Amino acid sequence: MPSNIAEGIGRNYKKDTIQFLHIARGSLYELETLVCVSEMLGLSEIENLQEVFKLIKDSQQLVNGLIGRYEKADLK
């Protein structure tokens, strides 16, 4: 996810940055799904998965905020 954000910003075009932010957000949804699957299969050794889910949700909100900011920004 951080690499997607960095790549998008590094391209110096608003459209590209937004696209890579969307990809980063998608990666967070993939991570959330994998954590759910590991929990359902009993494979997770993490004691408090709720904290992991909270961190994922917080990250999703941050990326959504970045997407909104770039969409409103007066950039190329």
Side-chain angles (χ1 to χ4, degrees):
M1 184 197 90
S3 296
N4 288 324
I5 294 171
E7 184 174 354
I9 292 171
R11 292 189 177 217
N12 287 330
Y13 290 100
K14 177 181 175 178
K15 184 177 177 181
D16 288 341
T17 300
I18 293 169
Q19 177 63 29
F20 277 86
L21 288 170
H22 283 282
I23 293 168
R25 184 174 61 189
S27 295
L28 285 166
Y29 282 105
E30 289 174 344
L31 175 60
E32 184 177 42
T33 301
L34 292 172
V35 172
C36 286
V37 170
S38 72
E39 180 182 34
M40 288 186 286
L41 295 175
L43 300 174
S44 178
E45 295 181 12
I46 300 173
E47 291 181 14
N48 190 355
L49 283 178
Q50 293 308 311
E51 182 62 25
V52 173
F53 286 118
K54 182 183 179 329
L55 290 169
I56 292 169
K57 289 291 182 194
D58 290 348
S59 297
Q60 289 167 341
Q61 289 177 346
L62 288 169
V63 172
N64 285 335
L66 282 171
I67 291 169
R69 185 164 179 120
Y70 271 92
E71 286 176 340
K72 293 176 184 175
D74 188 24
L75 305 169
K76 295 190 237 177

